[in-house]
Amino acid sequence: MKVYFIGAGPGAKDLITVRGHQLIQEADVIFYADSLVNEQLLEDAKPSCEIFKTARMHLQEMIDMMVARVKEGKNVIRLHTGDPSVFGAIMEQISLLKREGIEVEIVPGVSSVFASAAALGAELTIPDLTQTVILTRAEGRTPVPQLEKLSELAKHHCTIALFLSATLTKKAVKELLNAGWDEQTPAAAVYKATWPDEKIVRTTIGQLDEEMKKHGIRKQAMILVGWALDEQIHEKDYRSKLYDPQFTHGFRKGVMR
Ligand SMILES: C[S@@+](CC[C@H](N)C(=O)[O-])C[C@H]1O[C@@H](n2cnc3c(N)ncnc32)[C@H](O)[C@@H]1O
């Protein structure tokens, strides 16, 4: 028997994977992060399925409950928002389950970073502009390793996605500016991407804090910064090699001029 850690996706019920949805339908027990997982996903669970909200549980309490049920031969799943591998706090659960001899399997999900990029109609990697996306958070009560301070990471001037940072925008902006970013650099905040009350704020890093405050965004938001978010990007001629007529690759021979 094993415990499945399933990415529930960013919110919209139809953004979970087919595999994740099937496992929900077969589950005897579901643990889910009630602050962020869409409860509509649970409508497809069996009527007999035991469902537990985890927001108020502590780690050991949750693990003891999972272990007891797996040992009773039940199908146990743990639903996490977005993709479980990013800020999912899954490894601490997996480690304790493994110590109890319980196997786990992770089912990926659509992370909020990609749901937010989609909401913005953005590509996060633009040829000749940036080829890197950094997924990180601003430092708050949770410390960030010295080499991963935003002021260090931002020196790359690539696209940066900030999770868990909606209350830390002032600090984040200061670090971006310290790293040499211009106040005019495009920035966006997406609140509850793919939920019915989704909000999108497009701005610059100089205005980010004020704009988020103005729109009442202080939680459940993805912040994306960098020139890939430029609203005028369509007017610029960034081109990939993939579709360059002169570029030869495994599936196409380039034409000579
Ligand atoms: C604990 S982390 C979990 C991230 C999740 N594993 C993922 O892949 O999206 C929670 C943070 O993810 C972001 N987040 C999660 N769902 C979101 C959504 N629907 N829209 C915007 N941001 C979201 C916010 O930054 C929030 O503070």
Side-chain angles (χ1 to χ4, degrees):
M1 273 297 189
K2 55 172 128 174
V3 173
Y4 288 90
F5 284 78
I6 299 174
K13 188 182 170 184
D14 56 355
L15 279 177
I16 191 168
T17 62
V18 174
R19 186 183 298 181
H21 184 244
Q22 179 143 6
L23 287 164
I24 288 179
Q25 291 173 304
E26 292 164 0
D28 298 313
V29 190
I30 298 177
F31 291 84
Y32 77 104
D34 41 314
S35 52
L36 285 166
V37 169
N38 186 347
E39 293 184 337
Q40 285 179 358
L41 284 166
L42 306 170
E43 289 166 1
D44 299 331
K46 296 187 287 196
S48 60
C49 181
E50 267 189 296
I51 296 180
F52 297 103
K53 300 179 177 189
T54 57
R56 287 197 177 78
M57 289 185 190
H58 62 72
L59 178 63
Q60 194 60 53
E61 189 182 358
M62 195 163 58
I63 297 298
D64 290 345
M65 288 171 74
M66 285 182 185
V67 171
R69 282 159 180 80
V70 173
K71 288 188 174 163
E72 286 167 16
K74 293 185 170 161
N75 261 334
V76 177
I77 70 173
R78 171 75 168 108
L79 267 184
H80 276 274
T81 177
D83 182 88
S85 70
V86 195
F87 297 113
I90 57 169
M91 203 41 69
E92 58 203 58
Q93 301 172 57
I94 292 173
S95 305
L96 293 179
L97 289 169
K98 289 208 163 171
R99 280 178 223 170
E100 295 283 345
I102 291 170
E103 282 308 303
V104 299
E105 185 172 324
I106 303 173
V107 178
V110 177
S111 174
S112 58
V113 60
F114 303 120
S116 299
L120 290 161
E123 177 175 355
L124 303 180
T125 53
I126 302 283
D128 294 333
L129 181 65
T130 180
Q131 291 292 280
T132 304
V133 184
I134 292 179
L135 308 185
T136 187
R137 65 185 299 167
E139 187 168 36
R141 284 192 302 163
T142 305
V144 165
Q146 188 57 37
L147 291 175
E148 296 175 24
K149 303 282 180 206
L150 193 51
S151 50
E152 288 301 314
L153 298 179
K155 287 179 184 161
H156 294 287
H157 289 253
C158 57
T159 304
I160 298 186
L162 293 171
F163 290 75
L164 298 157
S165 304
T167 54
L168 299 164
T169 40
K170 252 198 189 119
K171 194 171 173 191
V173 166
K174 200 167 154 204
E175 294 201 47
L176 295 172
L177 296 176
N178 282 345
W181 287 42
D182 192 272
E183 293 217 348
Q184 293 308 314
T185 310
V190 183
Y191 167 74
K192 292 186 79 178
T194 80
W195 290 75
D197 50 345
E198 171 186 287
K199 281 187 214 167
I200 295 178
V201 171
R202 281 184 172 277
T203 182
T204 59
I205 62 170
Q207 293 295 313
L208 181 66
D209 184 62
E210 207 179 304
E211 284 295 311
M212 284 179 65
K213 244 188 226 143
K214 200 164 97 190
H215 290 86
I217 302 178
R218 276 293 175 254
K219 58 179 178 160
Q220 285 166 271
M222 173 60 52
I223 298 170
L224 289 165
V225 291
W227 282 98
L229 281 310
D230 183 2
E231 279 190 272
Q232 265 71 57
I233 201 123
H234 312 105
E235 286 153 34
K236 300 178 183 162
D237 281 330
Y238 296 112
R239 296 284 181 267
S240 71
K241 290 282 180 225
L242 188 62
Y243 301 114
D244 179 342
Q246 278 144 289
F247 191 71
T248 296
H249 57 69
F251 296 96
R252 184 170 50 79
K253 203 165 165 28
V255 288
M256 299 294 274
R257 270 216 185 133

